[in-house]
Amino acid sequence: RAHVIVFGNEKGGSGKSTTAMHVFVALARKGRRVGAIDLDVRQRSLYRYLENRRNWSSRKGVNLLTPLLAEIRPSLDPDRAKAWREEAAVFDEALERLAEQCDVIIIDCPGAHSNLSRLGHSAADTLITPMNDSFVDFDLLARIDPYSYQISGPSVYAEMVWESRKLRAQAGLGPIDWVVVRNRMPLDDANNKRRVGAMLEQLSSRIGFRIAPGLSERTIFRELFLSGLTLLDLREPNAGPAVDMSHVAARQEVRELLAHLNIPGSGY
Amino acid sequence: RAHVIVFGNEKGGSGKSTTAMHVFVALARKGRRVGAIDLDVRQRSLYRYLENRRNWSSRKGVNLLTPLLAEIRPSLDPDRAKAWREEAAVFDEALERLAEQCDVIIIDCPGAHSNLSRLGHSAADTLITPMNDSFVDFDLLARIDPYSYQISGPSVYAEMVWESRKLRAQAGLGPIDWVVVRNRMPLDDANNKRRVGAMLEQLSSRIGFRIAPGLSERTIFRELFLSGLTLLDLREPNAGPAVDMSHVAARQEVRELLAHLNIPGSGY
Ligand SMILES: Nc1ncnc2c1ncn2[C@@H]1O[C@H](COP(=O)(O)OP(=O)(O)OP(=O)(O)O)[C@@H](O)[C@H]1O
Ligand SMILES: Nc1ncnc2c1ncn2[C@@H]1O[C@H](COP(=O)(O)OP(=O)(O)OP(=O)(O)O)[C@@H](O)[C@H]1O
Ligand SMILES: [Mg+2]
Ligand SMILES: [Mg+2]
């Protein structure tokens, strides 16, 4: 059966869609059959990125790897309970349809608390939570006492993941491999970077996630959106001018991340 | 009557709460009486930042400027139409209560499409929309044809602002001064930075916003969250080691932004 990777973080702009896109390309290039569901029904950043990719492919006459897509429409029913049941049915059907033809299914979640996001989280074999190098982002995982630098308790997003794990256990499904990925990290080793890292180490054993090697703040991770490409689609750069060194380093960061995700049969 | 400044962008992590906090401190330091409403009812990043600030104040025995707060509870009514009317009433009451005692009211919105966010936008005299230096963020304002680099049409967030302007006009209220602020800009002048800037110039006249000087990617803008401080609260650094130069530059960026916001009586 297909391995489901969910990209989740209620904190906006933490890098869910960006890491989802890069993980997709990394897996596809190893020959995995990948499916994708975008649960961010308003922004649809992942679908938009993939739409740009398809347009680039056809216009340039190149054959870029693209995932099998399943469209999800949110329910417009004014009755909240009815809307939720409707969405659960649509989601389950989409997931089953993709599972028949894919080894891996990627699910991108919105930076908000929605019924569809909850459904996505409960379907996760692997949950990837990217986060900015910031205590503002940290605050959605757990509260920190600023004087003792001690964790004072879990926050809304950690509780949401806890709920999803409970639902999975009740449904007899396997555990969620929860992987936190630091994103948009500054290239220099600032105090703030070290402090956030230390607090994440503390928190990981407490709320049950592991930390995978993260991605630095690099323009290459965001400047190819309009073409639908990622740096992995570009020809391997030679050791050359400074910009190529950043690309080499960026590729290495993506490889390191994939190697730590432990996706069965991923080739990393 | 109070001048209402709304921080809005449906795109998550664009910097709404961060710029809201810095604009608050900048105005408060000029003696303005500032009120604040956090419409991000799940994350409550602005309220959390201010809570940290109050705790720091009392614990350190210092007198940090804090805004007058109005708490907003979302409606739990399962009937969506009823819930929206309930929230509109709560919001109007909170706004009126603050307007009696404040010159300026700051409203922070969630990185999502919510009823409360729409209410906030319709109350805006000034709408500040921070955005990352990225076509991923741009995509929520407008679609771009990747080949011609032409704007092909407005996206969900631009349409939402359009709706809010219509509602205000129908209610006989004044226009919204819509100000886009580039945030987390790279310090070097990359191709991507120039392209995003050029497309924003194109878009501004088309959908009716102006562009204010933005903020660079600087750790000082995010590393003081736990203490509830901003760099404006720190003593003016002397010309000294490298880190102080970044603080001097950061202060200048905030001042430039405030000078361009044209908040009546703001002192900038
Ligand atoms: N490692 C990185 N380096 C540079 N820019 C990045 C990086 N990761 C993400 N970005 C940029 O940061 C912004 C936020 O990223 P992204 O949209 O992927 O986050 P998200 O969590 O999906 O946001 P949302 O909550 O809105 O869905 C985008 O403008 C993106 O291009
Ligand atoms: N100019 C900046 N320099 C460095 N870091 C920044 C800057 N602006 C914002 N950040 C960091 O970027 C992240 C997103 O910022 P912020 O939370 O203010 O955005 P937001 O638009 O309020 O997000 P949301 O949509 O989740 O409400 C936070 O971790 C914040 O600390
Ligand atoms: Mg996204
Ligand atoms: Mg916010």
Side-chain angles (χ1 to χ4, degrees):
Chain A
R1 59 180 300 297
H3 188 94
V4 178
I5 309 173
V6 173
F7 291 81
N9 192 342
E10 204 170 323
K11 183 67 182 95
S14 47
K16 299 175 288 293
S17 306
T18 298
T19 39
M21 190 64 195
H22 286 78
V23 167
F24 155 65
V25 175
L27 292 170
R29 289 175 71 79
K30 292 282 189 177
R32 305 266 60 77
R33 299 172 306 159
V34 187
I37 300 175
D38 191 341
L39 295 182
D40 192 337
V41 289
R42 278 278 290 188
Q43 297 179 191
R44 302 163 52 93
S45 301
L46 187 67
Y47 282 161
R48 289 282 302 125
Y49 208 137
L50 293 167
E51 178 178 14
N52 290 342
R53 191 176 179 82
R54 283 193 307 275
N55 290 339
W56 191 263
S57 261
S58 58
R59 208 131 163 188
K60 296 281 172 173
V62 294
N63 217 354
L64 287 169
L65 302 159
T66 53
L68 192 63
L69 292 182
E71 278 271 351
I72 301 271
R73 297 276 166 221
S75 166
L76 299 171
D77 203 302
D79 182 318
R80 224 173 287 210
K82 262 188 104 217
W84 287 3
R85 281 194 304 270
E86 202 173 308
E87 287 174 348
V90 170
F91 178 75
D92 289 342
E93 186 278 331
L95 204 56
E96 285 198 28
R97 181 165 23 103
L98 288 181
E100 289 166 10
Q101 304 186 53
C102 302
D103 312 313
V104 186
I105 299 169
I106 275 171
I107 301 179
D108 190 16
C109 293
H113 190 55
S114 70
N115 180 49
L116 285 172
S117 181
R118 271 190 309 231
L119 292 166
H121 279 69
S122 299
D125 297 310
T126 300
L127 170 63
I128 297 176
T129 293
M131 61 177 280
N132 280 296
D133 231 52
S134 169
F135 286 112
V136 174
D137 282 45
F138 198 105
D139 199 55
L140 268 81
L141 287 176
R143 299 266 173 121
I144 295 174
D145 181 321
Y147 306 98
S148 59
Y149 266 83
Q150 289 303 312
I151 312 281
S152 47
S155 295
V156 283
Y157 185 65
E159 289 169 339
M160 193 267 209
V161 177
W162 175 252
E163 281 299 310
S164 306
R165 279 174 154 163
K166 241 173 51 183
L167 286 170
R168 277 178 74 83
Q170 288 165 359
L173 298 164
I176 297 179
D177 180 18
W178 189 9
V179 186
V180 169
V181 178
R182 295 168 72 183
N183 187 35
R184 304 193 71 175
M185 288 191 291
L187 288 172
D188 56 327
D189 182 44
N191 269 333
N192 190 57
K193 186 175 176 178
R194 265 181 276 118
R195 278 192 221 118
V196 171
M199 297 311 296
L200 276 176
E201 292 290 343
Q202 252 194 65
L203 189 64
S204 66
S205 41
R206 184 163 161 161
I207 64 176
F209 61 78
R210 59 189 181 90
I211 301 160
L215 306 175
S216 299
E217 171 76 10
R218 299 179 189 279
T219 311
I220 191 64
F221 283 127
R222 66 170 179 259
E223 69 180 323
L224 301 176
F225 171 75
L226 291 180
S227 62
L229 301 172
T230 68
L231 88 151
L232 303 173
D233 299 302
L234 307 175
R235 220 179 325 151
E236 206 92 17
N238 312 317
V243 63
D244 284 347
M245 282 319 294
S246 176
H247 287 202
V248 169
R251 271 173 198 274
Q252 190 53 25
E253 288 182 344
V254 177
R255 258 186 231 121
E256 282 293 303
L257 169 59
L258 265 295
H260 280 78
L261 290 184
N262 303 335
I263 307 302
S266 71
Y268 287 94
Chain B
R1 62 181 298 300
H3 189 93
V4 178
I5 309 173
V6 173
F7 291 82
N9 192 342
E10 203 170 322
K11 183 68 181 90
S14 47
K16 298 175 288 294
S17 306
T18 297
T19 40
M21 190 64 195
H22 286 77
V23 167
F24 155 65
V25 176
L27 292 170
R29 289 175 69 81
K30 291 283 189 175
R32 306 265 59 78
R33 299 172 305 161
V34 187
I37 300 175
D38 191 343
L39 296 182
D40 192 335
V41 290
R42 276 280 288 188
Q43 298 180 188
R44 301 164 52 95
S45 301
L46 187 66
Y47 282 160
R48 289 283 300 127
Y49 209 137
L50 293 166
E51 179 179 12
N52 290 341
R53 190 176 179 84
R54 284 194 305 277
N55 289 340
W56 190 264
S57 260
S58 56
R59 208 131 165 187
K60 296 280 174 172
V62 293
N63 216 354
L64 288 168
L65 301 159
T66 53
L68 192 63
L69 292 183
E71 278 273 350
I72 302 271
R73 298 277 165 219
S75 165
L76 299 169
D77 203 301
D79 182 320
R80 223 174 288 210
K82 262 188 106 219
W84 288 2
R85 283 195 301 273
E86 202 173 308
E87 288 173 349
V90 170
F91 177 75
D92 289 343
E93 185 279 330
L95 204 56
E96 287 200 26
R97 180 164 25 102
L98 288 181
E100 288 167 8
Q101 304 187 53
C102 302
D103 312 314
V104 187
I105 299 169
I106 275 170
I107 302 179
D108 190 17
C109 293
H113 190 55
S114 71
N115 180 48
L116 284 171
S117 181
R118 270 188 312 227
L119 291 167
H121 278 70
S122 298
D125 297 310
T126 301
L127 170 64
I128 298 176
T129 293
M131 61 177 280
N132 280 296
D133 230 53
S134 169
F135 286 112
V136 174
D137 282 45
F138 198 105
D139 199 55
L140 266 80
L141 287 176
R143 300 266 175 121
I144 295 173
D145 181 320
Y147 306 98
S148 58
Y149 265 83
Q150 290 301 313
I151 311 280
S152 46
S155 295
V156 284
Y157 183 65
E159 290 169 338
M160 192 267 208
V161 176
W162 175 251
E163 281 299 311
S164 307
R165 279 174 153 164
K166 240 173 52 184
L167 286 169
R168 276 179 74 83
Q170 289 166 358
L173 297 165
I176 297 178
D177 180 19
W178 189 9
V179 186
V180 169
V181 178
R182 295 167 74 183
N183 187 34
R184 303 193 72 175
M185 287 192 291
L187 289 171
D188 56 327
D189 182 45
N191 268 334
N192 192 56
K193 185 175 175 179
R194 266 182 276 117
R195 278 193 220 116
V196 171
M199 296 312 295
L200 276 175
E201 293 289 343
Q202 254 194 61
L203 189 64
S204 64
S205 42
R206 184 163 160 160
I207 63 176
F209 61 77
R210 59 190 181 89
I211 301 159
L215 306 175
S216 298
E217 170 76 10
R218 298 180 188 279
T219 310
I220 191 65
F221 284 126
R222 65 170 179 259
E223 69 180 321
L224 301 176
F225 171 76
L226 291 180
S227 61
L229 301 173
T230 68
L231 86 151
L232 303 174
D233 298 303
L234 306 175
R235 220 181 322 154
E236 205 92 16
N238 312 316
V243 63
D244 284 346
M245 283 318 294
S246 178
H247 287 203
V248 170
R251 270 174 199 275
Q252 191 53 26
E253 288 182 345
V254 177
R255 259 186 229 120
E256 282 293 304
L257 169 59
L258 265 296
H260 280 78
L261 290 184
N262 302 335
I263 307 303
S266 71
Y268 287 93

